[in-house]
Amino acid sequence: LAKTTQPISMDSYEGQEVNITCSHNNIATNDYITWYQQFPSQGPRFIIQGYKTKVTNEVASLFIPADRKSSTLSLPRVSLSDTAVYYCLVGPLMDTGRRALTFGSGTRLQVQP
Amino acid sequence: ETGVTQSPTHLIKTRGQQVTLRCSSQSGHNTVSWYQQALGQGPQFIFQYYREEENGRGNFPPRFSGLQFPNYSSELNVNALELDDSALYLCASRPDRSSYNEQFFGPGTRLTVL
């Protein structure tokens, strides 16, 4: 499984754009990049998933360069409620015998007023 | 709201005891997984069930066991509790033929072992 590396923590202020970068140098051809958000004392929540270039939904954007060795989760105009831990995961789209989502330690985002 | 519920919310046990945690998934979600999350760490995979059979297991000892029922509910049982078992226990489910990477997590059960 591809290993991911992301910053331990980040600080921001309300209204700013936050970009969290994840490195995954050993990503396989059939791997997708997925991001989860976790609030304190809650389960992780799927945010966004992509394979290449750019994906955007109502919550975030995901930028993936051509070599796919890294990805950037972009949160536009964050608010206090975006304070959470963000996890970057890498793996195939369908279950190919790999049975687990592999979480690292994530990035703890703290949004200040 | 993910449609996945877990009970109880919190639980306190003493070392050596046994515990059963419960999860209820959405209708049609035939795959359920259990994760252990220690404080400050990401969730760690315990095992996965598909249509009532275990079909994958992480690096956890046999005293961690599970059951899945036809009504989309499941259980995690832990025997001979140890202090290090104190953690947030999460269940996650997904429907068939969906993206493996998009799973629906419950809010978790916080287990404290004294």
Side-chain angles (χ1 to χ4, degrees):
Chain A
L1 293 175
K3 178 179 168 60
T4 60
T5 303
Q6 47 184 129
I8 294 173
S9 64
M10 295 182 69
D11 292 309
S12 184
Y13 293 94
E14 283 192 291
Q16 289 189 331
E17 178 184 75
V18 170
N19 296 308
I20 306 175
T21 297
C22 178
S23 297
H24 27 79
N25 290 319
N26 297 324
I27 190 169
T29 303
N30 61 341
D31 282 345
Y32 280 67
I33 299 141
T34 308
W35 285 80
Y36 276 79
Q37 174 192 56
Q38 186 177 23
F39 298 115
S41 298
Q42 293 189 29
R45 180 177 76 111
F46 172 92
I47 301 177
I48 197 167
Q49 177 176 260
Y51 184 81
K52 62 181 179 181
T53 62
K54 177 183 174 182
V55 179
T56 297
N57 62 22
E58 66 278 4
V59 177
S61 294
L62 178 59
F63 297 93
I64 306 167
D67 66 7
R68 305 200 327 120
K69 293 184 183 299
S70 67
S71 58
T72 299
L73 175 73
S74 181
L75 304 173
R77 298 179 298 282
V78 294
S79 64
L80 295 176
S81 62
D82 292 315
T83 293
V85 178
Y86 293 83
Y87 295 96
C88 166
L89 289 75
V90 173
L93 193 65
M94 302 308 292
D95 188 356
T96 58
R98 174 187 66 93
R99 304 299 181 183
L101 295 177
T102 302
F103 290 85
S105 297
T107 297
R108 190 171 303 274
L109 173 65
Q110 181 69 49
V111 180
Q112 307 280 0
Chain B
E1 285 294 327
T2 63
V4 180
T5 59
Q6 292 187 243
S7 62
T9 305
H10 296 87
L11 200 54
I12 299 175
K13 291 286 189 178
T14 56
R15 195 170 47 184
Q17 285 189 312
Q18 178 267 342
V19 69
T20 297
L21 310 181
R22 294 179 172 82
C23 172
S24 180
S25 306
Q26 294 185 46
S27 175
H29 285 208
N30 291 303
T31 300
V32 66
S33 303
W34 285 87
Y35 290 79
Q36 179 196 66
Q37 186 174 24
L39 206 58
Q41 302 296 317
Q44 299 297 308
F45 175 70
I46 302 175
F47 47 57
Q48 176 175 285
Y49 278 77
Y50 177 72
R51 294 186 182 273
E52 303 164 54
E53 290 194 11
E54 183 181 307
N55 66 353
R57 191 175 187 92
N59 190 26
F60 281 80
R63 59 188 186 85
F64 286 78
S65 63
L67 288 171
Q68 185 186 24
F69 304 100
N71 65 351
Y72 305 106
S73 66
S74 58
E75 291 180 353
L76 165 64
N77 298 289
V78 187
N79 294 322
L81 283 168
E82 301 176 359
L83 297 179
D84 285 348
D85 295 334
S86 294
L88 181 68
Y89 288 86
L90 299 158
C91 74
S93 69
R94 69 180 182 93
D96 293 354
R97 293 180 296 280
S98 65
S99 165
Y100 186 82
N101 300 311
E102 184 176 359
Q103 299 195 17
F104 298 84
F105 282 82
T109 293
R110 173 73 62 186
L111 173 65
T112 301
V113 182
L114 302 176

